Amino acid sequence: MAMIRCVVIDDEPLARECIADYIAKVDFLELVDAIANPTELETLKEKGSIDLLFLDIQMPVMSGIDYLKYTRRRPMVILTTAYPDYALESYELDVLDYLVKPITFGRFYKAITKANEYYRLQHKKSDPSKTTSDVVDYFFVKCEQTYEKIYYNDLQYIEALENYVVIYTKDTKYMTLMPMKRMEELLDKDMFMRVHKSYIVNIDSVLSYEKNRLKLLSKTIPVSRGNKSAVFEKVVNEKLWKK
């Protein structure tokens, strides 16, 4: 199992020691270093990649919030702070979780379990040695302040809505800020297909095809003229019983 390489950033030595001790108890975490300020991160890059930051908010040289605002390309972030008032602002800056001090090991473990699932999903590779049980069958999307887990088999179709997409599953729907093109790139093309500029469908969820329309359990999806032949071939003809 690949290790998640972590850095603890906190100006309080006891707080750094606490998180470092917790990291040592988890078999999929590796502590790269524990430092007093985000400005020290650059020197750590020589030690290799950094996957996860445990980041304090109130620090004298650069606050955790400032680091999040000014740094675009960064590792996963879990905030650690004594000030719960920053929770809303931090989630708007795309952090995985928010831990309020004093941090119990149970709450810490819940946060790093979420980080581990997200990390495995982001680093999924095509590997012939993987068995079926190794394949990740879900993904996460950010919906406002929450990261929602969605299973591929539950996903029925996706609808574009300006800069958002709405993901419809068997039981509910999720809205997330993501371009349709990016969603199309991330999905398995053997399982999902763009049938219209505004729709992606799960091929297995299609019940029938008629007159440039796909009928799903709860929705009829239009098929664009340019996609008509490809959709018929992929959705129907490849599985059509013939004489």
Side-chain angles (χ1 to χ4, degrees):
M1 176 187 293
M3 301 285 279
I4 298 178
R5 291 167 51 82
C6 309
V7 172
V8 181
I9 308 175
D10 199 307
D11 62 316
E12 299 177 5
L14 289 178
R16 294 197 299 270
E17 183 178 346
C18 173
I19 297 299
D21 287 345
Y22 285 170
I23 289 171
K25 291 179 170 66
V26 181
D27 59 1
F28 57 80
L29 298 183
E30 175 187 348
L31 180 64
V32 176
D33 209 339
I35 58 179
N37 201 275
T39 57
E40 301 175 43
L41 273 174
E42 287 301 315
T43 60
L44 291 182
K45 291 181 179 179
E46 299 175 2
K47 297 183 179 181
S49 62
I50 299 169
D51 304 310
L52 175 61
L53 302 180
F54 292 92
L55 180 65
D56 187 29
I57 288 181
Q58 296 282 18
M59 291 178 286
V61 179
M62 175 185 283
S63 73
I65 294 294
D66 285 342
Y67 171 78
L68 293 173
K69 286 180 178 178
Y70 302 143
T71 309
R72 292 186 178 276
R73 297 177 62 86
R74 57 175 183 263
M76 298 180 292
V77 175
I78 295 175
L79 286 179
T80 60
T81 180
Y83 302 93
D85 295 343
Y86 288 98
L88 178 59
E89 183 178 6
S90 67
Y91 278 116
E92 291 174 347
L93 292 168
D94 203 21
V95 303
L96 278 180
D97 212 335
Y98 185 97
L99 304 180
V100 179
K101 301 173 184 178
I103 302 166
T104 65
F105 182 75
R107 183 65 184 88
F108 170 86
Y109 195 80
K110 181 178 179 180
I112 58 99
T113 298
K114 182 189 301 183
N116 188 36
E117 290 179 333
Y118 188 77
Y119 176 83
R120 303 301 164 199
L121 177 64
Q122 294 299 105
H123 290 76
K124 181 179 67 173
K125 304 290 184 182
S126 297
D127 185 350
S129 67
K130 287 182 179 292
T131 64
T132 302
S133 61
D134 293 321
V135 177
V136 178
D137 59 355
Y138 61 87
F139 60 96
F140 279 90
V141 292
K142 187 178 182 185
C143 304
E144 295 184 343
Q145 299 171 32
T146 305
Y147 289 86
E148 299 283 358
K149 178 190 282 188
I150 299 174
Y151 287 90
Y152 291 109
N153 287 336
D154 287 340
L155 200 165
Q156 301 289 289
Y157 67 97
I158 300 167
E159 182 177 8
L161 190 64
E162 295 184 352
N163 293 326
Y164 289 81
V165 295
V166 184
I167 300 170
Y168 291 85
T169 68
K170 294 175 182 177
D171 302 315
T172 188
K173 65 180 181 180
Y174 305 92
M175 181 179 289
T176 185
L177 182 61
M178 182 181 295
M180 190 69 153
K181 181 175 175 58
R182 178 58 176 158
M183 181 66 72
E184 183 181 9
E185 291 171 349
L186 292 171
L187 290 169
D188 183 348
K189 290 179 175 50
D190 290 331
M191 188 174 185
F192 297 92
M193 187 173 190
R194 183 83 171 264
V195 300
H196 186 276
K197 67 178 182 179
S198 299
Y199 292 98
I200 295 172
V201 301
N202 182 338
I203 296 170
D204 287 342
S205 70
V206 175
L207 301 178
S208 65
Y209 178 88
E210 181 183 3
K211 295 181 180 179
N212 300 334
R213 295 193 300 270
L214 297 173
K215 184 179 179 182
L216 280 59
L217 189 63
S218 60
K219 177 78 172 180
T220 299
I221 304 290
V223 177
S224 65
R225 182 178 302 176
N227 289 336
K228 179 181 176 181
S229 297
V231 171
F232 181 82
E233 178 64 27
K234 184 72 175 179
V235 176
V236 179
N237 205 40
E238 287 184 4
K239 300 177 179 64
L240 180 62
W241 286 16
K242 304 173 183 177
K243 293 181 180 180

